[in-house]
Amino acid sequence: MSGEAHTLLGRGSEFEGKLSFEGQVQIDGKFKGSIVAQGTLVIGETAEVYGDIMTSNLVVHGRVEGTLKASESIELHEPSKVQGTLETPVLSIAKGVHFDGECHMTKAGASAASKSSSNKSTSYTSSASYLEASSLLDE
């Protein structure tokens, strides 16, 4: 991840609605709604995000609930808590992350809307505190 993130919602702030942006943005506050972005979205440790996210790259350190779609990659870092559905070609889940939901591995650069039924899709449901992403890709 190159470049510096510009904080959109600082710690202690709250916002409800629809967010769209280009570039790299970090959220450290509370957000409820939908996010559509061309670039990288960073969810900070103090952030709580409830809703659907569609972006190029997603990096999570905080709490997120919803459907998360990234055309390039999703990274879940400790101490994140993620509940919902993930769709991405590249997934990284660090030890100590709590993930509860489903994961669908898509082809790189494929948007969810244009994804054909011939794409390999792997589903995994877990309430464990640690997943090894490599085991998802080996199936």
Side-chain angles (χ1 to χ4, degrees):
M1 187 169 62
S2 64
E4 186 176 323
H6 299 285
T7 301
L8 176 68
L9 291 176
R11 187 178 196 155
S13 62
E14 295 184 24
F15 182 80
E16 188 169 335
K18 183 176 179 178
L19 169 66
S20 60
F21 67 87
E22 290 185 17
Q24 187 169 335
V25 169
Q26 180 164 335
I27 295 176
D28 291 319
K30 185 182 270 188
F31 181 89
K32 185 183 252 185
S34 64
I35 300 171
V36 178
Q38 291 287 344
T40 299
L41 175 62
V42 178
I43 308 296
E45 281 190 32
T46 60
E48 293 181 34
V49 176
Y50 304 95
D52 297 331
I53 299 172
M54 187 180 295
T55 188
S56 302
N57 296 288
L58 178 63
V59 180
V60 180
H61 297 275
R63 179 181 181 90
V64 181
E65 291 182 18
T67 300
L68 315 177
K69 298 177 183 180
S71 61
E72 295 179 23
S73 69
I74 295 177
E75 298 176 20
L76 306 181
H77 296 273
E78 188 178 19
S80 66
K81 293 183 180 182
V82 178
Q83 183 175 359
T85 301
L86 308 179
E87 289 186 28
T88 186
V90 177
L91 174 63
S92 172
I93 302 177
K95 185 175 183 177
V97 167
H98 179 82
F99 170 64
D100 185 11
E102 294 181 2
C103 174
H104 303 279
M105 303 303 287
T106 60
K107 287 187 179 180
S111 70
S114 65
K115 181 173 70 170
S116 72
S117 60
S118 65
N119 286 358
K120 180 181 176 189
S121 178
T122 301
S123 294
Y124 186 83
T125 303
S126 172
S127 59
S129 61
Y130 174 63
L131 296 175
E132 287 197 29
S134 62
S135 67
L136 294 174
L137 300 174
D138 292 338
E139 293 179 358

